[in-house]
């Protein structure tokens, strides 16, 4: 994974300690809004299942999103009657806001959530969190679209779900199969760095979290689930779909310009098998070639479209220069992020300047080709001009890739990086404690140095915990 920023990596994933601590291993959050009828049966059924089947300590957290019915009283009663249940009252709506607030203050090393309707079979809960407890994965999601999943729901929701995931795959290159299933889990050390980057406070929260985690190279485990649709669901499909599409546009734009500090989510070198190199083989060459060809194909189409537009009112040389300049800027930005994996805004201006030098070489090749064509034929047809330009661009493409790889975005060798200072014994103990031992339940959330600072409104919400 390339990086242009200096930021400490996440600790290597390890199996959570098995010794008993004051904090639970798993904290399951149930976000609710006006669920006075379903809340108590859900919590009691989930508690009975965890007490009977889950081999670690657990907690169930009810996150009330500003309900206006009897939900707060039901939550308070469950908090009093069941030791493993606690209730939080938030004065603002939003599932994403509720999850971010509760997860940011939880002391459990594994955080999960599920919808109050319990549409997902609870037998999938242990397989969901097991890879996080063992240290195998960073996040885990339930998937209703797996071949081995058994799903009962109407054709309308089936179409919407598959269409939404198709949009994610085509626009954000998402590889996970089901972004909307209300059945997910995350390791707390990952959540502490990932949640501050997630802007959405509603239903798009899940998707944004997964897209950023995947782009950062974190491992997402998928669990096939059995799922039965809730016919009484209060989700407004049209409004939710509109907000989700706005979120897809916002996240896609931020990823395209490198505005997100995804390097904060990097794992130590060597923890990811993709970081290991084979002697004599340039690292990432095959992947870079595929990315470069994909970006180049789109850039060529974009360039030809611009040339055709400008050619209607300008000379061939001027139309070629303008089209090539605009497409070159877009090409450098796309290759920077997609082909060579450079994130962040640092040195972005320098990379664009170097890209313009590469553009000048391409301009010389294509302009020279046009000049030679004019000399040879006098008044060539538009189709002939396009054919010559395509041939010239193909010749320039090979040189462009070599220059981008060797000069604009050179590989950063391990022996070129500054050596790390040796850790002291106290540093090692502190790192071990922070990686494996969660804070006790009595310690305030603000006492954890690495925990993200929540918004003022979220802090106020937590202070109004149901008595």
């Amino acid at each position: 994974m390339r990086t242009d920023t200096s930021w400490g990596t996440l600790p290597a994933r390890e199996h959570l300690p098995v010794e008993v601590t004051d904090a639970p291993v798993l904290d399951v959050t149930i976000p609710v809004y006006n669920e006075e009828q379903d809340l108590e049966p859900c919590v009691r059924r989930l508690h009975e299942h965890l007490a009977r089947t889950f081999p670690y300590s657990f907690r169930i957290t009810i996150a009330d999103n500003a309900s206006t019915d009897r939900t707060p009283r039901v939550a308070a009663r469950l908090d009093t009657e069941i030791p493993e249940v606690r209730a939080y009252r938030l004065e603002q709506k939003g599932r994403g806001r509720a999850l971010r607030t509760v997860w940011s203050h939880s002391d459990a090393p594994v955080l999960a959530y599920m919808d109050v309707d319990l549409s997902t079979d609870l037998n999938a809960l242990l397989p969901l969190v097991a890879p996080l407890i063992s240290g195998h994965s960073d996040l885990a999601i339930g998937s209703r679209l797996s071949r081995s999943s058994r799903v009962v729901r109407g054709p309308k929701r089936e179409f919407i779900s598959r269409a939404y995931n198709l949009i994610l795959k085509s626009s954000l290159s998402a590889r996970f199969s089901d972004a909307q299933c209300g059945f997910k889990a995350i390791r707390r050390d990952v959540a502490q760095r990932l949640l501050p980057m997630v802007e959405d406070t509603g239903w798009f929260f899940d998707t944004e979290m997964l897209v950023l985690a995947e782009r950062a190279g974190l491992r997402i485990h998928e669990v096939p689930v059995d799922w039965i649709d809730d016919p009484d669901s209060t989700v407004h499909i049209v409004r939710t779909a509109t907000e989700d599409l706005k979120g897809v546009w916002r996240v896609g734009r931020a990823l395209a310009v490198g505005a997100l500090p995804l390097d904060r989510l990097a794992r130590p070198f060597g923890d990811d098998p993709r970081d290991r190199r084979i002697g004599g083989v340039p690292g990432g060459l095959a992947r870079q070639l595929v990315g470069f060809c994909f970006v180049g194909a789109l850039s060529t189409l974009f360039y030809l479209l611009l040339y055709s537009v400008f050619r209607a009112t300008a000379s061939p040389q001027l139309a070629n220069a303008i089209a090539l300049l605009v497409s070159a800027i877009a090409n450098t930005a796309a290759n920077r992020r997609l082909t060579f994996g450079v994130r962040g805004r640092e040195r972005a201006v320098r990379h664009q300047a170097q890209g313009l030098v590469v553009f000048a070489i391409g301009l010389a090749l294509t302009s020279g080709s046009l000049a030679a064509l004019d000399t040879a034929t006098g008044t060539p047809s538009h189709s002939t001009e396009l054919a010559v330009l395509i041939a010239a661009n193909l010749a320039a493409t090979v040189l462009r890739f070599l220059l981008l790889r060797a000069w604009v975005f050179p590989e950063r060798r391990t022996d070129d990086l500054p050596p790390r200072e040796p850790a002291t014994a106290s540093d090692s103990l502190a790192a071990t404690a922070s990686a494996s031992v969660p804070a006790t339940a009595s310690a305030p959330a603000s006492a954890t140095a690495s925990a993200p600072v929540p918004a003022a409104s979220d802090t106020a919400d937590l202070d109004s915990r149901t008595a």
Side-chain angles (χ1 to χ4, degrees):
M1 181 183 302
R2 285 178 180 267
T3 175
D4 274 31
T5 59
S6 298
W7 196 278
T9 59
L10 282 166
R13 288 185 296 262
E14 296 181 355
H15 196 297
L16 296 177
V18 297
E19 62 266 17
V20 177
T21 62
D22 293 335
V25 172
L26 173 65
D27 191 347
V28 182
T29 302
I30 305 176
V32 292
Y33 174 72
N34 288 350
E35 298 286 356
E36 60 181 4
Q37 298 296 328
D38 295 336
L39 178 57
E40 182 169 357
C42 162
V43 171
R44 292 194 180 278
R45 178 183 167 194
L46 175 60
H47 180 268
E48 187 276 333
H49 176 83
L50 288 172
R52 179 171 50 88
T53 66
F54 194 68
Y56 296 91
S57 58
F58 64 89
R59 177 194 298 136
I60 301 173
T61 301
I62 304 170
D64 176 22
N65 297 320
S67 294
T68 57
D69 61 358
R70 294 179 58 255
T71 297
R73 279 179 281 178
V74 175
R77 179 161 50 82
L78 293 171
D79 188 331
T80 303
E81 295 178 359
I82 306 177
E84 291 83 8
V85 174
R86 67 175 181 179
Y88 277 148
R89 167 73 177 182
L90 292 93
E91 299 302 330
Q92 292 178 287
K93 291 179 61 177
R95 182 178 69 171
R97 177 181 287 107
L99 292 177
R100 177 176 19 240
T101 303
V102 173
W103 284 356
S104 297
H105 290 78
S106 178
D107 53 357
V110 176
L111 312 169
Y113 96 90
M114 62 180 60
D115 293 334
V116 70
D117 55 18
L118 293 186
S119 296
T120 305
D121 182 14
L122 292 179
N123 288 327
L125 182 55
L126 182 56
L128 181 80
V129 301
L132 309 187
I133 295 175
S134 68
H136 174 271
S137 302
D138 299 292
L139 297 91
I141 64 174
S143 175
R144 300 164 295 184
L145 303 181
S146 173
R147 291 186 177 181
S148 58
S149 298
R150 294 184 295 178
V151 177
V152 178
R153 61 176 167 181
K156 181 179 179 181
R157 287 185 175 271
E158 180 75 11
F159 172 79
I160 292 175
S161 180
R162 291 188 178 275
Y164 179 68
N165 283 282
L166 180 61
I167 292 174
L168 293 180
K169 291 179 182 296
S170 59
S171 61
L172 297 178
S173 301
R175 295 190 297 273
F176 47 85
S177 64
D178 192 353
Q180 294 178 312
C181 182
F183 197 68
K184 297 181 176 69
I186 185 173
R187 287 177 65 103
R188 182 171 63 113
D189 58 345
V190 176
Q192 287 176 345
R193 298 198 186 189
L194 179 57
L195 295 183
M197 302 183 196
V198 181
E199 294 185 16
D200 191 80
T201 59
W203 292 96
F204 187 69
F205 174 88
D206 304 49
T207 302
E208 185 171 357
M209 179 179 68
L210 291 174
V211 169
L212 298 187
E214 187 176 74
R215 288 298 186 92
L218 298 180
R219 181 176 294 148
I220 301 176
H221 179 74
E222 295 198 18
V223 178
V225 298
D226 297 340
W227 194 85
I228 300 177
D229 189 16
D230 178 16
D232 299 325
S233 176
T234 58
V235 178
H236 194 289
I237 296 178
V238 176
R239 182 171 62 243
T240 301
T242 302
E243 294 300 321
D244 285 349
L245 292 178
K246 292 180 180 178
V248 169
W249 167 257
R250 174 176 55 79
V251 173
R253 181 178 57 183
L255 291 172
V257 301
L260 297 170
L262 298 181
D263 288 348
R264 300 180 186 180
L265 302 174
R267 285 293 184 185
F269 182 83
D271 187 60
D272 191 326
R274 292 171 296 180
D275 292 333
R276 299 170 188 168
R277 298 175 179 269
I278 302 176
V281 179
L285 178 59
R287 181 189 60 80
Q288 290 177 359
L289 281 173
V290 173
F292 180 79
C293 291
F294 177 75
V295 172
L298 294 181
S299 299
T300 300
L301 294 176
F302 184 49
Y303 160 77
L304 293 176
L305 176 62
L306 291 177
Y307 178 82
S308 298
V309 172
F310 293 132
R311 183 64 181 87
T313 57
S315 65
Q317 293 288 1
L318 180 59
N320 172 65
I322 297 176
L324 196 57
L325 175 61
V326 175
S327 61
I329 294 175
N331 180 277
T332 300
N335 275 311
R336 183 178 189 269
R337 173 63 184 88
L338 300 178
T339 303
F340 298 98
V342 179
R343 302 184 177 96
R345 297 182 179 180
E346 186 175 346
R347 295 198 292 178
V349 176
R350 174 184 174 183
H351 292 157
Q352 282 292 349
Q354 292 173 310
L356 289 178
V357 175
V358 178
F359 150 75
I361 297 175
L363 177 62
L365 288 174
T366 54
S367 297
S369 300
L370 283 177
L373 179 63
D374 289 337
T375 302
T377 62
T379 55
S381 64
H382 182 63
S383 59
T384 303
E385 288 180 352
L386 290 181
V388 171
L389 288 174
I390 291 174
N393 269 287
L394 289 176
T397 296
V398 177
L399 181 59
R400 183 185 303 122
F401 176 75
L402 295 176
L403 288 175
L404 289 177
R405 180 177 170 83
W407 179 48
V408 183
F409 307 110
E411 287 284 348
R412 298 177 62 191
R413 297 182 351 189
T414 305
D415 52 6
D416 292 336
L417 298 177
R420 295 182 180 179
E421 296 182 1
T424 62
S426 59
D427 292 338
S428 301
L429 291 174
T432 303
S434 63
S436 59
V437 181
T440 61
S442 60
S446 59
T448 306
S450 60
V453 180
S457 60
D458 293 342
T459 304
D461 291 336
L462 285 179
D463 292 339
S464 60
R465 176 179 174 179
T466 306

